[in-house]
Amino acid sequence: MLTHVSYGGCAGQHIFYKKRGDKMYSYKTKGTCSREIQFDIENDIIKEVHFVGGCMGNTTGVSRLVKGRNIDEVIDTLKGIDCGGRGTSCP
């Protein structure tokens, strides 16, 4: 059973899905190399991040860089980084 979780961060309103009993949220991406981002947030701090698809080196690097940081700081840091003119953010 999935429940909706809404997060209104600096980049706007985002809707994520969380399985009951699980800690990880899941966000299905569009227009990016990765297909999905799975993550855990506790008190606005990113605890874990896992990417499904995408370049393993880049996704592992981004995961390590954002772990332990405030979600609003991460959004502010990464928003607007365009991927090849597609209007999506690689990181």
Side-chain angles (χ1 to χ4, degrees):
M1 184 93 182
L2 293 176
T3 57
H4 286 75
V5 177
S6 177
Y7 179 78
C10 293
Q13 187 76 9
H14 302 283
I15 304 295
F16 304 106
Y17 298 93
K18 184 176 182 180
K19 290 184 179 179
R20 290 186 189 176
D22 289 352
K23 289 186 73 175
M24 298 297 281
Y25 294 89
S26 175
Y27 176 70
K28 301 285 186 183
T29 61
K30 294 179 184 169
T32 61
C33 296
S34 62
R35 297 181 306 279
E36 181 179 357
I37 305 169
Q38 300 168 346
F39 56 97
D40 181 29
I41 300 170
E42 188 176 299
N43 298 321
D44 290 339
I45 302 298
I46 300 170
K47 297 296 184 182
E48 290 290 330
V49 179
H50 304 282
F51 290 82
V52 178
C55 171
M56 182 176 277
N58 288 338
T59 58
T60 300
V62 169
S63 295
R64 288 184 185 177
L65 289 170
V66 303
K67 187 175 178 179
R69 289 187 62 199
N70 178 281
I71 190 165
D72 291 319
E73 291 174 7
V74 171
I75 291 169
D76 284 343
T77 300
L78 298 178
K79 74 180 175 185
I81 300 174
D82 189 63
C83 182
R86 289 187 255 174
T88 60
S89 175
C90 283

